[in-house]
Amino acid sequence: MSFTELQSKAAPIRLWGDVDAVEPQAKSQLYNIAKLPWVHGVAVMPDVHYGIGATVGSVIAMRGAVSPAAVGVDIGCGMTAQRTSLTADDLPDDLGHLRSKIEAAIPVGQAMHKSSVDVGHLKTGLHGWHEFWSGFDDLAKSPARRAEAKAAKQLGTLGGGNHFIEVCLSDDGQVWLMLHSGSRYIGNALAQYHIEKAKGLPHNTDLPDPDLAVFIADTPQMEEYRRDLFWAQDYARRNRAVMMALLRQVVRKKFPKARFEPEISVHHNYVAEEVHYGENLLVTRKGAIRAGFGDMGIIPGSMGASSFIVRGLGNGEAYESASHGAGRRMSRNAARKRFTALDLIAQTEGVECRKDPGVIDEIPAAYKDIDEVIAAQSDLVEVTARLRQVVCVKG
């Protein structure tokens, strides 16, 4: 499927998926984004929905500028997946014990580790830990001071909301491990600090939406934001790597002969410096993954729905991007009002997971149909594996 170009007197807006299914609020946000003088273009993914400032499921390419709210407050949020040597036949009929072990090893929700994880004895596959932590001292002082005590203890923790840890089966019966999380409290604190800072700059006084305030290249404010942004993105990547290493330990204890293929790890709330249409651009993906030619990616569904491992096709008209998931079809409050715990039990049949009122807002029906979302971006990615959850851990 190719894109539909929305009529805009400003920068081009290319949308993959059903234009009529996009909420009016989200469309207004897209038009507001396109009006910004720094915007080269906007690519809209089929999982698009209303967000703060910028829509979730949008790719915004700017010349010499970046909007912190267009990145989102969970800087570096993303996915990691790993194929194992295990098959469906290796799994026990009752997966409750495995879920309990995962929840005991990896703090979820507001919980954190009692002390920082010893990454020196944990096989994360990542290096440069000393240099990474040394960068903490250079971060914006106000939010960093508030987060210093939490940052080390939250590394290797899941969080809540739509974040999850899963054990999945592919169509060919292989066991996969998959998780979704970001930069935890430190990323949020840095994001909120810079969003407010950007709103106070003179060049942002006449914007169509104050939440779209930007930093401009070659200014001290932009340099400070870039420093904090890229550090938080690295924190998010390392957070997922630590969790995946802890998850592998749980699996190895239960299945000593298990082997693991290399991880696939992708951000879907982040900024990257890229060249498109022969120009150096700052590309913000808020609820979107990079899908350059051959890039491996992960597009998850909701709890109880399919997820997909994909390979990018390098579509330049989408700034080499694809969707980050199914995308919400209704707000969390609307889902809580509409559905019950009995609905959740029915919609997550066959999945070992929480089925209590505390996660009703994550019920599959609150999300768009993942199969339709995948079909709408056949010119952005090709599917290499389809997964279904058998264990889902949420905070």
Side-chain angles (χ1 to χ4, degrees), residues 63-288:
R63 303 179 183 92
V66 65
S67 170
V71 182
V73 294
D74 193 358
I75 298 172
C77 185
M79 300 283 308
T80 300
Q82 188 167 37
R83 183 177 174 175
T84 79
S85 62
L86 302 172
T87 68
D89 292 338
D90 295 314
L91 298 179
D93 293 334
D94 183 359
L95 292 167
H97 183 258
L98 178 59
R99 177 162 79 99
S100 297
K101 289 296 184 182
I102 294 171
E103 291 170 340
I106 302 173
V108 304
Q110 298 298 315
M112 64 185 80
H113 293 287
K114 292 181 180 179
S115 59
S116 59
V117 176
D118 185 356
V119 294
H121 291 85
L122 199 64
K123 295 181 180 179
T124 63
L126 298 181
H127 304 285
W129 285 97
H130 176 73
E131 292 79 8
F132 165 70
W133 283 119
S134 296
F136 194 92
D137 294 333
D138 297 325
L139 300 177
K141 297 303 179 188
S142 176
R145 274 197 298 269
R146 295 199 310 269
E148 188 168 8
K150 283 188 175 182
K153 294 180 182 180
Q154 283 194 328
L155 190 76
T157 65
L158 183 66
N162 62 352
H163 294 163
F164 61 76
I165 301 167
E166 292 181 343
V167 178
C168 303
L169 292 176
S170 61
D171 285 346
D172 61 359
Q174 291 295 133
V175 174
W176 285 71
L177 308 179
M178 187 164 66
L179 56 85
H180 172 206
S181 192
S183 51
R184 307 297 283 113
Y185 180 81
I186 179 62
N188 185 294
L190 291 169
Q192 298 284 7
Y193 171 82
H194 286 289
I195 288 170
E196 292 307 311
K197 192 172 183 180
K199 288 180 179 179
L201 298 176
H203 59 262
N204 290 320
T205 55
D206 295 323
L207 297 180
D209 181 346
D211 281 320
L212 290 175
V214 304
F215 290 120
I216 303 297
D218 302 320
T219 63
Q221 295 90 349
M222 173 67 111
E223 292 310 305
E224 289 171 1
Y225 178 60
R226 285 163 58 98
R227 175 200 63 208
D228 292 359
L229 169 78
F230 292 137
W231 187 91
Q233 289 178 181
D234 195 18
Y235 181 97
R237 180 175 65 111
R238 292 173 184 272
N239 179 42
R240 292 194 297 273
V242 170
M243 275 194 288
M244 189 58 85
L246 293 172
L247 181 57
R248 284 194 297 270
Q249 284 186 344
V250 172
V251 173
R252 280 196 184 100
K253 286 181 181 178
K254 191 162 185 67
F255 309 99
K257 295 183 179 180
R259 299 184 307 279
F260 305 89
E261 295 187 2
E263 295 177 12
I264 301 167
S265 187
V266 295
H267 290 325
H268 55 225
N269 277 20
Y270 76 112
V271 178
E273 299 169 337
E274 298 177 0
V275 177
H276 296 278
Y277 297 92
E279 294 191 53
N280 294 313
L281 302 171
L282 285 166
V283 179
T284 299
R285 295 184 175 93
K286 182 178 182 179

Side-chain angles (χ1 to χ4, degrees), residues 272-325:
E273 299 169 337
E274 298 177 0
V275 177
H276 296 278
Y277 297 92
E279 294 191 53
N280 294 313
L281 302 171
L282 285 166
V283 179
T284 299
R285 295 184 175 93
K286 182 178 182 179
I289 62 172
R290 177 170 170 81
F293 186 79
D295 287 345
M296 297 305 296
I298 308 162
I299 303 178
S302 61
M303 57 190 293
S306 298
S307 295
F308 295 85
I309 307 299
V310 299
R311 182 182 292 112
L313 298 178
N315 190 323
E317 291 171 314
Y319 298 104
E320 300 186 1
S321 307
S323 80
H324 83 310

Side-chain angles (χ1 to χ4, degrees), residues 3 13-19 22 30 42-49 55-60 268 284-291 299 315 317-327 368 372-373 376-377 379-381:
F3 63 86
I13 304 172
R14 307 182 187 98
L15 186 148
W16 278 258
D18 183 0
V19 177
V22 181
L30 294 171
V42 183
V44 187
M45 301 295 103
D47 61 339
V48 64
H49 59 92
T55 54
V56 179
S58 59
V59 181
I60 306 167
H268 55 225
T284 299
R285 295 184 175 93
K286 182 178 182 179
I289 62 172
R290 177 170 170 81
I299 303 178
N315 190 323
E317 291 171 314
Y319 298 104
E320 300 186 1
S321 307
S323 80
H324 83 310
K368 297 179 181 179
E372 292 178 1
V373 169
Q377 53 189 319
D379 58 339
L380 305 183
V381 293

